[in-house]
Structure formats: structure tokens, C-alpha cells
């Protein structure tokens, strides 16, 4: 897939994946613990490494961040957001837990919420299109 790159004097560009882990009618939401977006909520995931397919990156990142295994089912949204520190292209995927419950290693909190309750949280801007897509799908 794409690699991280930047042009001198410009922000770096990252291709990132997010897991929308669904259990019945609830979705796992996690709060970032570090970095420029610390304290904001997100769907867990991370950067795509060179040579990785998005689904491979997502499976790896969730194992690293939450210590659990997922099955990647289908894409939800892809969006690009320009932060002050970088430009992020975020692809989100509907996923299911395969084994082990999630445990926090990098996040400070986690909540399982119904789609209608997702707006209760203060989301990282790149995750907002996924939030909207989930809410529209349940109407």
C-alpha cells in the first residue's frame, strides 16, 4: 500500500486504518493516551507499514494495541484530514472480535456505545466521518 512520505517544509502524510469493532449493536471506542490527539476518542488502529495491505495493518495494530484478534469484514469510510502535525488518510473497516477481549495498553479508556450515542464523545476529527456513517446506517 502507500508509504509515509513528506515534502520538505510540508506536513508528513500517513495512511492509517481504524477498526470499528462491533459486538451486537455496540461499537468499541477508545480514548488516545499520548501524542497530539491525546484525550480525544478514536476507533483503534494505526499506520499502514510499507508492503502491508490495509486489512493486514489493522489486524496487526489491534493485536499490538488491544491484545485481541479481529476479523476485518468490510470498509466503511475513507477520508483525508489535515492536522497541524500531519495529513492523515484514514480508512475505517467494520470488524468483529475473534478471540480475547480487548485490553488497554496505549489508550486511557474504552467504551462500548450504540451508534446513536457516539456523539457523546469528543472525537479526533479524522474519525468523525466514520461516526456519521455509523449513525446514518442505523437510521
Amino acid at each position: 500500500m502507500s508509504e509515509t512520505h513528506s515534502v520538505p517544509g510540508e506536513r508528513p502524510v500517513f495512511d492509517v486504518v481504524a477498526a470499528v469493532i462491533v459486538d451486537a449493536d455496540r461499537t468499541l471506542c477508545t480514548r488516545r493516551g499520548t501524542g497530539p490527539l491525546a484525550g480525544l476518542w478514536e476507533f483503534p488502529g494505526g499506520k499502514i507499514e510499507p508492503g502491508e495491505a490495509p486489512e493486514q495493518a489493522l489486524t496487526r495494530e489491534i493485536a499490538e494495541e488491544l491484545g485481541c484478534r479481529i476479523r476485518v469484514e468490510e470498509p466503511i469510510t475513507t477520508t483525508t484530514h489535515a492536522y497541524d502535525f500531519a495529513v492523515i488518510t484514514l480508512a475505517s473497516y467494520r470488524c468483529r472480535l475473534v478471540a480475547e477481549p480487548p485490553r488497554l495498553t496505549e489508550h486511557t479508556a474504552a467504551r462500548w456505545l450504540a451508534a446513536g450515542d457516539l456523539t457523546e464523545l469528543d472525537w479526533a476529527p479524522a474519525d468523525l466521518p466514520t461516526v456519521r456513517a455509523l449513525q446514518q446506517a442505523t437510521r
Side-chain angles (χ1 to χ4, degrees):
M1 194 82 204
S2 301
E3 296 182 29
T4 302
H5 62 280
S6 63
V7 174
E10 293 186 12
R11 293 171 280 195
V13 177
F14 298 103
D15 290 323
V16 178
V17 286
V20 177
I21 302 172
V22 178
D23 180 22
D25 65 341
R26 303 174 312 148
T27 302
L28 181 65
C29 311
T30 54
R31 187 170 57 208
R32 293 181 62 95
T34 61
L37 301 175
L40 296 178
W41 290 82
E42 67 177 0
F43 297 105
K47 296 176 195 164
I48 301 172
E49 298 295 335
E52 264 185 330
E55 296 85 355
Q56 291 171 314
L58 199 48
T59 301
R60 176 186 52 75
E61 285 284 349
I62 296 306
E64 291 172 4
E65 288 183 12
L66 297 173
C68 59
R69 289 184 296 143
I70 58 168
R71 178 179 68 241
V72 179
E73 294 186 340
E74 62 193 26
I76 298 173
T77 61
T78 299
T79 186
T80 299
H81 185 81
Y83 289 105
D84 291 342
F85 59 90
V87 177
I88 305 293
T89 296
L90 175 65
S92 61
Y93 292 82
R94 185 174 318 280
C95 302
R96 301 271 178 196
L97 284 175
V98 173
E100 302 92 30
R103 59 183 158 70
L104 302 181
T105 61
E106 296 182 17
H107 297 91
T108 59
R111 291 180 65 186
W112 288 94
L113 294 177
D117 297 329
L118 293 175
T119 55
E120 294 176 5
L121 305 178
D122 187 13
W123 288 93
D127 288 270
L128 287 172
T130 302
V131 169
R132 288 190 289 274
L134 294 172
Q135 290 181 319
Q136 289 174 351
T138 59
R139 287 187 183 152

